[in-house]
């Protein structure tokens, strides 16, 4: 993969986002924040999808990606005995750490998209794609320290659970009010606090138990199949 | 599964256009007439394609959502010029109450449209759509769809295998967590190691040749073209109405009057028909079958 | 015309010194049906993968491969992908998509065919392979045999000239395997497709193959017609999996026409031997009961039909008991009930007092989750609360007994099928069971590995362990069981010793019994026949 042309493409996409925001504000009198927000989240995912479509990926890498995406989709059912626990975040973090930024982002975004194919699409899909994608991306960027320190891993996974929840609450606020209403947002965050806490804690526990074994498995596969 | 839904028998591309148009228009507007049409159309379709129990379950879900959203809006929003009463020194205005109802209706409509979309577009249709736009991601999607039942079955199989050795314990929460994690770990190994087979099977069938073209069983027929044309015409009319400002509606500071001029009525008619298309198809087909059966 | 030519082909894996393929030269004519056989690690798979460029392993290669007169390196990607088809071993993992039709179209999509052509081709394939009734089904709903047939159809949709199959029937039950082989024969005879198949189970393939290629330690030791190979490789290890008729012929005379099928075997016996009676009766002993079923009923759901319909049977202490029967009939359910995984809604399952059961599942990979075999063995002991020092001694003991000491540091997925079976067995034995339950233990094992397994099981029996096996491997049961019973229609029919059992059955019996019937009544295994002929088997 050559660096410069792809970098340019990213840049173009990145420029598109503010363009949409400005256009949205200009055309719709700044009232349709939600529409703008949906567009922005989709546009933010596009460069990754575009780059993935346009380069050669070995079938083995493709399969490993599909396997990880599948785990994050079915993880919910497999660990149904823990209430409110979705291992998606944890699996996306592991994918990011061990398979790199692209796989991390794709695993996050595709998990959101595909699992909603199964559990039902909703207005939240684009935000989920964006949020989980970012979590994958950041865990790839922090790959080294996260592999070294368990404490950091715990903090990171709990934080990403919190961030995810906060981000989706922003989207809900936008839906409800058409604009960002701080008091509404505060209320939403407060009501979702218990679920958020369980979610963050379960992420940390899950990663604590499984990050290392799954990481070893992924590393072995990477070496064995030359991914 | 959804063979019984008439609307589901259209080509995915036509369906996608229809739902995209409905979603964008509904999300875009605050106009109560348009939102009402959207909500009624989506509700009727949902009712026509659900069993009695599902309808009750839906009512149980949507009515509280509707109420909560409409009631909470005046608490958070204090704009509007007509205070009804004061709560903690904050005015609760008529405009905010009505705006809450409007937003609640809009969100319910969007959710119902999304639900209809999920109902009508099963994985095969999505693959067909996806395959055209992103052939590579669609391969990931179809693999994932294949893996889901496989991994679920395998998880059970591994759990049984470990249980039969007294290896799996589910007494306390931590025992249960560790046991399930152990099964999951075994499943991850199995999936990753055997994934090489799947990858080989893809390579063996020429994935690396390049120039993959997605194939789907759907054929674009005359009726798909008709749906597409209807959608396009009605959406264009609606769009023109939007651009001319006929759909504009404001709650704050005062509630605007609903437009009743000729152009607005045309806009309402166009969008109303667009919203009702899926329901009309269901009813038409139901009547048609009733007629056919009466002939026997 | 030659479709495939291998000239002095040698191959070494990067981490190994020994050649995996050693100076193999092979000429395959168009339309030939070739069977490649040899023990597990003889290099069959490596050789087959080298022929299919997309799957070629990395390593040092020397020699030349020509396909249709062109050097392999000169083939275009398209030619190589579409003209050489490759079917893998495992039906579960080689299916890529979720729908049958999509699996059929997958290869054609990759080659960029137009929708109209794909529609036509997959329609044709579905018809030819008789799978049109499940055209729109999910691939997850298919049985193993149907999955394998689908994989074959998906390859054939690309109309390959050469079809390579790597042990395609090893995961299938005997009936599905025979169906699969019959379909291969049909493809070969009706379409003229050249076929190279690597196999362990040769009973069905020998009669239809044009040539047999036998490999040992990476080298090709024979490549000739089936009959000539039988003549050439007398008393050779590689003959273990050959058809029973041929093996008996080799052991007895080794002269005249080689019988390959049961029919030919029968003629051979009628012509060469006078009838004699089998005096090989196993003596009945009274033994304690280890496990008993009395009127056991089971169903999976309240409104589902009964799977077990009043199962009644007793299994004696330290015997090998084999339960035979068709696939999907509920044999495994009996075993699951014995292991306590499912609870019967009526009837009782009793184990001798204090007796522990342990079940070794069908797919032994289900038991591995660590990075080395040793860690895996440690893991189960830690769950049982055994301390490290003691655990080490236990592992050492068991590894020695089963013969896996050299595998302890390996990853459980890096060992061969037979070795994995042994490692899993070690894991099960660490729980110190008194009753060992085995579900299809010979599936995917080559003949040599089966023999090793039999030796281990017999040794365990001597130590007082009771062994209850569910299998469709009739030959394995006949050679190793003390008693057998047939599972049918939700019940276990009365059990009897193997000689009574197999000589009473007309269809559900060993090839040896079918061959010798009428000449040597009551002989059920190869060694029985040889003994009656006055020749001990080596």
């Amino acid at each position: 993969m050559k660096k410069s042309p792809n970098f340019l493409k990213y840049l173009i996409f990145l420029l598109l986002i503010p363009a949409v925001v400005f256009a949205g504000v200009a055309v719709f009198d700044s009232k349709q924040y939600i529409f703008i927000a949906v567009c922005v989240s989709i546009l933010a995912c596009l460069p990754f999808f575009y780059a993935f479509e346009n380069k050669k990926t070995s079938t083995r890498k493709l399969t490993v990606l599909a396997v990880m995406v599948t785990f994050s989709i079915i993880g919910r059912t497999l660990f149904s005995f823990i209430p409110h626990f979705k291992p998606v975040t944890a699996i996306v973090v592991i994918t990011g750490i061990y398979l790199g930024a692209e796989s991390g982002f794709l695993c996050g975004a595709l998990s959101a998209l595909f699992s909603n194919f199964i559990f039902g699409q909703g207005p939240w899909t684009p935000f989920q794609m964006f949020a989980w994608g970012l979590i994958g991306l950041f865990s790839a960027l922090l790959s080294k320290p996260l592999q070294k320190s368990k404490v950091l891993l715990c903090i990171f996974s709990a934080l990403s659970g919190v961030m995810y929840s906060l981000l989706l609450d922003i989207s809900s606020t936008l839906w409800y009010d058409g604009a960002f209403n701080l008091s509404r947002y505060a209320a939403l965050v407060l009501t979702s606090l218990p679920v958020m806490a369980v979610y963050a804690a379960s992420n940390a526990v899950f990663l604590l138990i499984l990050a290392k074994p799954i990481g070893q498995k992924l590393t072995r596969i990477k070496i064995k199949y030359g991914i | 599964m959804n063979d019984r839904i008439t609307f589901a028998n259209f080509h995915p591309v036509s369906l996608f256009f229809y739902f995209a148009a409905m979603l964008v228009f509904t999300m875009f507007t605050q106009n109560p007439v348009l939102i009402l049409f959207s909500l009624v159309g989506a509700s009727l379709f949902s009712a026509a394609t659900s069993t009695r129990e599902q309808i009750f379950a839906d009512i149980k879900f949507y009515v509280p959502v509707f109420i909560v959203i409409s009631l909470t809006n005046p608490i958070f929003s204090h704009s509007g010029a007509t205070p009804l009463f004061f709560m903690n020194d904050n005015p609760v205005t008529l405009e905010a109450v009505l705006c809450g109802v409007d937003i609640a209706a809009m969100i319910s409509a969007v959710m119902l449209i999304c639900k209809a979309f999920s109902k009508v577009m099963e994985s095969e249709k999505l693959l067909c759509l996806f395959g055209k736009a992103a052939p590579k991601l669609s391969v990931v999607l179809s693999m994932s769809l294949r893996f889901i039942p496989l991994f679920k079955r395998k998880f059970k199989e591994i759990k049984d295998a470990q249980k039969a050795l007294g290896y799996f314990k589910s007494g306390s929460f931590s025992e249960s967590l560790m046991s399930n994690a152990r099964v999951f770990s075994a499943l991850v190994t199995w999936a990753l190691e055997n994934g090489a087979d799947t990858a080989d099977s893809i390579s063996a069938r020429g994935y690396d040749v390049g120039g993959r073209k997605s194939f789907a069983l759907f054929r674009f027929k005359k009726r798909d073209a008709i749906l597409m044309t209807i959608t396009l015409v009605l959406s264009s009319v609606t769009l023109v109405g939007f651009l001319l400002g006929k759909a504009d509606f404001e709650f704050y500071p005062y509630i605007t009057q609903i437009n009743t001029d000729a152009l607005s009525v045309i806009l309402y008619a166009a969008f109303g028909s667009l919203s009702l298309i899926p329901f009309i198809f269901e009813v038409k087909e139901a009547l048609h079958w009733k007629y056919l059966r009466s002939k026997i | 015309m030659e479709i495939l030519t291998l000239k002095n082909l040698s191959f070494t894996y990067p981490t190994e010194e020994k050649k995996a393929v050693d100076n193999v030269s092979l000429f395959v004519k168009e339309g030939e049906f070739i069977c490649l056989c040899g023990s597990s690690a003889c290099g069959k798979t490596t050789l087959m993968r080298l022929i299919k460029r997309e799957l070629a392993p990395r390593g040092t290669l020397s020699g030349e491969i020509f396909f249709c007169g062109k050097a392999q390196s000169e083939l275009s990607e398209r030619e190589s992908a579409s003209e050489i088809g490759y079917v893998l071993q495992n039906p579960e993992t080689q299916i890529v998509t979720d729908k049958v039709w999509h699996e059929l179209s997958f290869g054609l999509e990759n080659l960029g065919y137009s929708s109209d052509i794909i529609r036509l081709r997959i329609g044709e394939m579905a018809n030819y392979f008789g799978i049109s009734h499940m055209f729109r089904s999910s691939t997850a709903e298919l049985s193993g045999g149907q999955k394998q047939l689908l994989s074959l159809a998906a390859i054939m949709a690309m109309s390959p000239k050469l079809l390579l199959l790597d042990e395609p029937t090893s995961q299938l039950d005997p009936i599905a395997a025979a169906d699969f082989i019959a379909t291969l024969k049909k493809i070969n005879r009706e379409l003229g497709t050249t076929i190279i198949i690597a196999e362990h189970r040769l009973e069905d393939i020998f009669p239809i193959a044009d040539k047999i290629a036998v490999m040992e330690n990476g080298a090709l030791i024979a490549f000739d017609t089936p009959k000539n190979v039988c003549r050439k490789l007398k008393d050779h290890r590689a003959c273990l999996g050959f058809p029973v008729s041929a093996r008996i012929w080799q052991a007895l005379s080794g002269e005249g026409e080689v019988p390959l099928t049961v029919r030919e075997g029968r003629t051979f016996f009628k012509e060469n031997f006078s009838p004699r009676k089998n005096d090989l009766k196993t003596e009945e002993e009274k033994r304690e009961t280890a496990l008993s079923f009395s009127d056991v009923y089971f169903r999976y759901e309240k409104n589902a039909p009964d799977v077990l319909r009043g199962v009644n049977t007793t299994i004696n202490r330290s015997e090998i008991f084999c339960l035979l029967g068709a696939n999907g009939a509920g044999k495994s359910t009996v075993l699951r009930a014995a292991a306590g995984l499912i609870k019967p809604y009526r009837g009782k399952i009793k184990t001798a007092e204090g007796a522990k059961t342990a079940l070794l599942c069908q797919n032994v990979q289900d038991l591995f989750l660590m990075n080395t075999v040793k860690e895996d063995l440690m893991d189960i002991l830690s769950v049982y609360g055994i301390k490290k020092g003691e655990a080490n001694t236990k592992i050492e003991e068991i590894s020695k007994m089963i013969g896996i000491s050299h595998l302890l540091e390996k990853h459980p997925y890096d060992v061969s099928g037979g070795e994995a079976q042994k490692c899993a067995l070690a894991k099960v034995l660490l729980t110190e069971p008194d009753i060992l339950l085995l579900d299809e233990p010979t599936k995917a094992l080559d003949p040599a590995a089966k023999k090793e397994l039999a030796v281990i099981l017999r040794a365990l029996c001597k130590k007082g362990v009771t062994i209850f096996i569910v299998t469709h491997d009739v030959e394995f049961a006949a050679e190793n069981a003390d008693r057998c019973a047939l599972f049918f229609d939700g019940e276990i029919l009365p059990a009897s010793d193997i000689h009574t059992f197999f000589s009473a059955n007309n269809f559900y019996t060993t090839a040896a019994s079918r061959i010798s019937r009428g000449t040597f009544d009551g002989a059920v295994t190869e060694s029985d026949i040889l003994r009656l002929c006055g020749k001990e088997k080596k």
Side-chain angles (χ1 to χ4, degrees):
Chain A
M1 181 171 116
K2 276 180 240 154
K3 268 254 154 85
S4 54
N6 264 314
F7 177 70
L8 264 179
K9 279 174 205 154
Y10 282 121
L11 207 69
I12 291 168
F13 275 112
L14 285 178
L15 286 177
L16 258 174
I17 295 170
V20 168
V21 175
F22 282 122
V25 172
V27 176
F28 308 126
D29 247 0
S30 75
K31 257 172 289 166
Q32 296 300 339
Y33 284 105
I34 183 60
F35 187 72
I36 298 168
V38 169
C39 286
V40 168
S41 349
I42 294 175
L43 279 176
C45 297
L46 282 182
F48 290 94
F49 291 167
Y50 183 80
F52 182 70
E53 281 295 334
N54 285 291
K55 70 174 201 204
K56 243 188 147 97
T57 315
S58 75
T59 52
R60 292 193 162 160
K61 195 166 179 180
L62 209 65
T63 316
V64 171
L65 181 64
V67 166
M68 294 313 282
V69 169
T70 312
F71 277 131
S72 63
I73 296 173
I74 60 168
R76 212 186 294 193
T77 12
L78 300 187
F79 287 86
S80 53
F81 69 97
I82 313 175
H84 293 296
F85 177 49
K86 293 179 217 152
V88 188
T89 312
I91 290 175
V92 171
V93 169
I94 294 176
T95 311
I97 294 177
Y98 292 97
L99 296 177
E102 191 195 34
S103 298
F105 186 91
L106 285 175
C107 179
L110 294 182
S111 300
L113 187 64
F114 295 174
S115 67
N116 287 333
F117 281 157
I118 295 154
F119 299 109
Q121 297 288 353
W124 50 80
T125 307
F127 298 103
Q128 278 185 337
M129 284 170 70
F130 183 56
W132 273 328
L134 276 189
I135 292 175
L137 190 69
F138 281 125
S139 33
L141 296 180
L142 296 172
S143 168
K144 283 229 171 86
L146 285 179
Q147 280 185 59
K148 265 187 205 138
S149 155
K150 278 201 166 177
V151 182
L152 202 67
L153 185 68
C154 276
I155 297 172
F156 180 81
S157 56
L159 263 185
S160 49
V162 171
M163 293 307 287
Y164 170 80
S165 190
L166 291 180
L167 195 74
L168 275 165
D169 281 340
I170 292 183
S171 88
S172 310
T173 314
L174 289 179
W175 273 107
Y176 292 148
D177 291 310
F180 187 74
N181 182 322
L182 196 65
S183 49
R184 159 94 66 182
Y185 182 60
L188 274 176
V189 169
L190 269 179
T191 48
S192 62
L193 215 51
V195 174
M196 191 206 287
V198 171
Y199 186 47
S202 58
N203 271 340
V205 170
F206 189 86
L207 275 170
L208 209 56
I209 302 175
L210 282 176
K212 216 176 147 207
I214 297 182
Q216 282 175 344
K217 287 164 206 225
L218 280 172
T219 313
R220 175 183 136 87
I221 287 295
K222 267 195 331 197
I223 296 167
K224 191 170 169 189
Y225 301 141
I227 295 171
Chain B
M1 180 192 97
N2 48 16
D3 272 354
R4 282 182 307 147
I5 304 175
T6 314
F7 198 58
N9 296 334
F10 282 101
H11 194 275
V13 172
S14 303
L15 290 176
F16 181 75
F17 265 97
Y18 174 79
F19 282 109
M22 279 308 293
L23 268 181
V24 168
F25 287 134
T26 310
M27 276 161 60
F28 245 120
T29 187
Q30 285 195 308
N31 190 313
V33 179
L34 296 185
I35 287 177
L36 187 70
F37 275 132
S38 183
L39 181 63
V40 168
S43 313
L44 284 177
F45 177 71
S46 175
T49 54
S50 307
T51 61
R52 200 178 287 262
E53 293 79 31
Q54 283 167 337
I55 294 175
F56 280 121
D58 277 352
I59 291 175
K60 258 190 223 155
F61 175 75
Y62 282 100
V63 171
V65 166
F66 193 94
I67 293 172
V68 167
I69 297 174
S70 39
L71 285 188
T72 50
N73 194 56
I75 301 175
F76 295 112
S77 171
H78 307 296
S79 318
T82 332
L84 294 173
F85 55 91
F86 284 82
M87 218 166 77
N88 301 335
D89 290 336
N90 279 321
V92 171
T93 65
L94 175 70
E95 286 80 7
V97 171
L98 290 177
C99 181
V101 174
D102 191 64
I103 288 173
M106 189 266 269
I107 291 175
S108 309
V110 167
M111 281 165 81
L112 280 167
I113 294 170
C114 284
K115 206 180 141 195
F117 179 82
S118 305
K119 221 183 220 177
V120 165
M121 302 286 255
E122 79 279 39
S123 61
E124 252 171 79
K125 292 211 185 77
L126 290 163
L127 267 179
C128 169
L129 276 181
F130 229 62
K132 297 233 155 45
K136 222 157 148 184
L137 289 172
S138 94
V139 173
V140 178
L141 173 59
S142 49
M143 277 161 87
S144 191
L145 286 170
R146 152 84 186 121
F147 285 155
I148 289 168
L150 179 65
F151 289 5
K152 278 189 184 162
R153 208 194 69 209
K154 203 71 200 170
F155 188 82
K156 236 187 128 259
E157 208 179 296
I158 294 173
K159 196 167 167 179
D160 274 355
Q162 298 195 353
K163 257 189 194 163
L165 295 184
Y167 204 176
F168 186 94
K169 291 178 178 144
S170 51
S172 66
F173 178 78
S174 70
E175 264 181 2
S176 170
L177 180 67
M178 289 315 280
S179 297
N180 272 293
R182 191 175 277 120
V183 176
F184 189 68
S185 184
L187 177 64
V188 171
T189 308
W190 183 86
L192 288 174
E193 298 281 336
N194 285 297
D197 259 6
T198 316
D200 283 346
S201 167
I202 297 174
S203 297
R205 280 182 274 166
Y207 179 80
D208 300 313
V209 170
R212 178 181 163 85
K213 269 193 207 150
S214 268
F215 167 78
L217 284 180
F218 305 98
R219 249 187 234 269
F220 199 81
K221 300 190 188 94
K222 205 171 127 199
R223 57 197 298 268
D224 302 309
I226 293 173
L227 176 66
M228 188 93 143
T229 317
I230 296 176
T231 310
L232 273 178
V233 169
L234 293 177
S235 318
S236 312
V237 174
T238 313
L239 188 65
V240 170
F242 266 72
L243 292 177
L244 292 176
K246 293 297 166 196
D248 287 357
F249 195 87
E250 296 289 338
F251 282 96
Y252 308 121
Y254 296 102
I255 297 175
T256 0
Q257 282 292 310
I258 291 173
N259 291 328
T260 47
D261 55 306
L263 273 176
S264 300
V265 172
I266 293 177
L267 163 68
Y268 298 152
F271 186 71
S273 332
L274 188 67
S275 313
L276 287 169
I277 287 176
F279 178 65
I280 291 169
F281 272 106
E282 293 311 311
V283 173
K284 203 188 116 209
E285 194 80 351
L287 291 178
H288 185 59
W289 276 105
K290 212 169 208 174
Y291 170 74
L292 283 181
R293 212 170 288 150
S294 69
K295 284 271 184 183
I296 297 168
Chain C
M1 189 202 138
E2 265 162 22
I3 189 163
L4 180 75
T5 310
L6 307 181
K7 276 189 191 156
N8 307 95
L9 200 67
S10 291
F11 179 82
T12 319
Y13 281 100
T15 51
E16 274 157 52
E17 279 168 30
K18 224 184 91 200
K19 283 178 180 167
V21 171
D22 193 359
N23 202 18
V24 169
S25 295
L26 195 72
F27 306 93
V28 181
K29 286 200 204 94
E30 205 180 326
E32 274 187 321
F33 191 123
I34 288 170
C35 173
L36 187 58
C37 56
S39 66
S40 265
C42 67
K44 300 192 294 275
T45 301
T46 312
L47 182 67
M48 299 261 280
R49 283 183 172 254
L50 289 172
I51 299 170
K52 174 85 179 167
R53 197 172 63 193
E54 288 82 355
L55 306 183
R58 278 177 295 180
T60 331
L61 179 74
S62 67
E64 287 166 296
I65 302 172
F66 293 94
F67 176 71
C68 291
K70 261 195 204 171
Q72 194 189 42
S73 52
E74 283 164 28
L75 291 175
S76 71
E77 288 213 29
R78 220 186 151 76
E79 276 174 314
S80 174
S82 69
E83 295 188 355
I84 304 178
Y86 198 103
V87 177
L88 298 139
Q89 197 180 95
N90 195 334
E92 287 301 341
T93 46
Q94 67 174 313
I95 286 183
V96 178
T97 65
D98 65 322
K99 288 282 155 58
V100 169
W101 66 263
H102 200 183
E103 192 64 24
L104 289 173
S105 70
F106 189 82
L108 299 169
E109 288 176 271
N110 286 337
L111 298 178
Y113 282 106
S114 76
S115 285
D116 288 330
I117 294 179
I118 295 182
R119 206 179 288 273
L120 187 68
R121 286 268 196 98
I122 63 177
E124 259 187 321
M125 277 307 122
N127 266 314
Y128 189 81
F129 285 90
I131 49 176
S132 27
H133 60 287
M134 46 192 189
F135 190 61
R136 283 175 187 259
S137 307
S138 281
T139 45
E141 292 163 18
L142 309 188
S143 70
Q146 287 173 327
K147 281 192 183 115
Q148 207 60 325
L149 217 53
L150 172 61
S151 296
L152 178 61
I155 298 289
M156 288 310 292
M158 300 169 77
S159 27
K161 289 181 182 159
L162 171 65
L163 189 56
L164 303 166
L165 304 106
D166 187 8
E167 299 184 19
T169 67
S170 69
Q171 305 286 326
L172 308 184
D173 65 89
I175 293 170
D179 273 353
F180 189 85
I181 302 286
T183 309
L184 282 183
K185 183 182 169 190
K186 184 173 148 185
I187 290 172
N188 178 256
R189 304 293 195 262
E190 288 180 7
L191 307 173
T193 313
T194 314
I195 291 177
I196 303 180
I197 177 171
E199 258 303 346
H200 290 315
R201 272 194 240 182
L202 304 172
E203 200 78 46
D204 293 332
I205 292 197
F206 256 60
I208 56 171
D210 296 309
K211 278 182 181 164
I212 307 292
V214 185
M215 284 181 79
E216 194 179 52
N217 293 327
L220 190 68
I221 56 169
F223 181 53
D224 212 327
T225 60
K227 294 193 175 178
N228 284 342
V229 166
C230 291
R231 281 195 196 98
K232 196 173 160 194
L233 294 181
K234 263 189 223 166
D235 297 331
H236 197 281
R237 288 197 297 136
C239 301
L240 265 180
F242 282 15
V244 178
S245 310
R247 288 227 310 278
I248 294 174
W249 172 87
Q250 285 182 328
L252 287 177
S253 60
E255 275 155 31
E257 197 62 5
V258 188
L260 291 179
T261 60
V262 167
R263 188 180 68 183
E264 287 167 2
R266 285 182 67 81
T267 321
F268 170 78
F269 268 98
K270 286 237 170 77
E271 280 170 5
N272 293 298
F273 292 93
S274 50
R276 55 195 90 163
K277 192 98 176 94
N278 183 19
D279 48 355
L280 310 149
K281 266 276 176 277
T282 7
E283 59 272 28
E284 278 279 330
E285 283 175 61
K286 257 282 179 230
R287 280 167 158 171
E288 310 164 46
T289 304
L291 177 70
S292 70
F293 289 72
S294 48
D295 291 327
V296 172
Y297 284 81
F298 176 78
R299 53 177 73 162
Y300 281 95
E301 273 159 54
K302 196 170 172 242
N303 295 322
D306 281 334
V307 183
L308 306 184
R309 217 170 272 140
V311 169
N312 259 320
T313 199
T314 51
I315 292 151
N316 300 328
R317 212 176 102 90
S318 51
E319 74 170 347
I320 299 182
F321 184 93
C322 276
L323 184 61
L324 297 149
N327 213 31
K331 294 194 307 290
S332 297
T333 313
V334 176
L335 220 51
R336 287 158 59 85
L341 282 175
I342 51 171
K343 296 266 171 280
Y345 70 89
R346 196 184 297 150
K348 269 229 161 74
I349 302 170
K350 252 196 227 152
T351 46
E353 219 171 286
K356 259 201 329 196
T357 58
L359 167 68
L360 177 57
C361 49
Q362 205 175 112
N363 301 311
V364 293
Q365 287 186 334
D366 291 357
L367 283 183
F368 301 126
L369 53 138
M370 296 306 213
N371 291 325
T372 63
V373 174
K374 188 165 184 186
E375 282 175 45
D376 244 310
L377 297 179
M378 278 302 222
D379 188 54
I380 193 160
L381 288 174
S382 76
V383 171
Y384 272 77
I386 289 165
K387 294 205 185 64
K388 210 167 177 196
E390 201 189 335
N392 271 325
T393 0
K394 280 199 169 184
I395 291 173
E396 217 168 282
E397 259 172 49
I398 229 98
S399 319
K400 228 184 238 156
M401 185 208 150
I402 296 195
I404 53 163
S405 303
H406 60 295
L407 304 173
L408 286 179
E409 297 308 322
K410 281 199 172 181
H411 191 284
Y413 278 76
D414 284 346
V415 302
S416 76
E419 288 169 341
Q421 175 93 22
K422 283 196 273 184
C423 296
L425 188 60
K427 199 165 177 179
V428 173
L429 289 177
L430 283 175
T431 69
E432 296 176 353
D434 305 294
I435 302 167
L436 183 60
L437 309 166
L438 302 170
D439 194 359
E440 299 292 354
T442 59
K443 186 170 147 185
L445 294 192
D446 67 12
K450 278 188 202 178
K451 283 216 147 160
E452 286 177 42
L453 177 70
V455 172
I456 295 171
L457 293 182
R458 197 37 87 187
L460 284 170
C461 251
K462 291 238 166 79
K463 285 188 177 172
V465 180
T466 309
I467 296 171
F468 182 10
I469 301 175
V470 156
T471 182
H472 16 234
D473 193 335
V474 176
E475 315 289 332
F476 183 81
E479 271 167 37
N480 303 298
D482 295 313
R483 290 194 306 147
C484 282
L486 190 66
F487 186 86
F488 179 70
D489 193 33
E491 283 183 83
I492 297 182
L493 305 183
S496 49
D497 71 280
I498 49 161
H499 286 107
T500 323
F501 182 83
F502 287 109
S503 42
N505 288 355
N506 288 324
F507 302 97
Y508 209 86
T509 185
T510 57
S513 163
R514 278 175 281 151
I515 290 167
S516 62
R517 188 154 299 197
T519 323
F520 303 153
D521 276 329
V524 297
T525 63
E526 220 181 302
S527 30
D528 286 347
I529 295 179
L530 293 183
R531 229 176 301 162
L532 283 169
C533 297
K535 197 162 173 173
E536 281 298 323
K537 193 178 161 195
K538 281 163 220 156

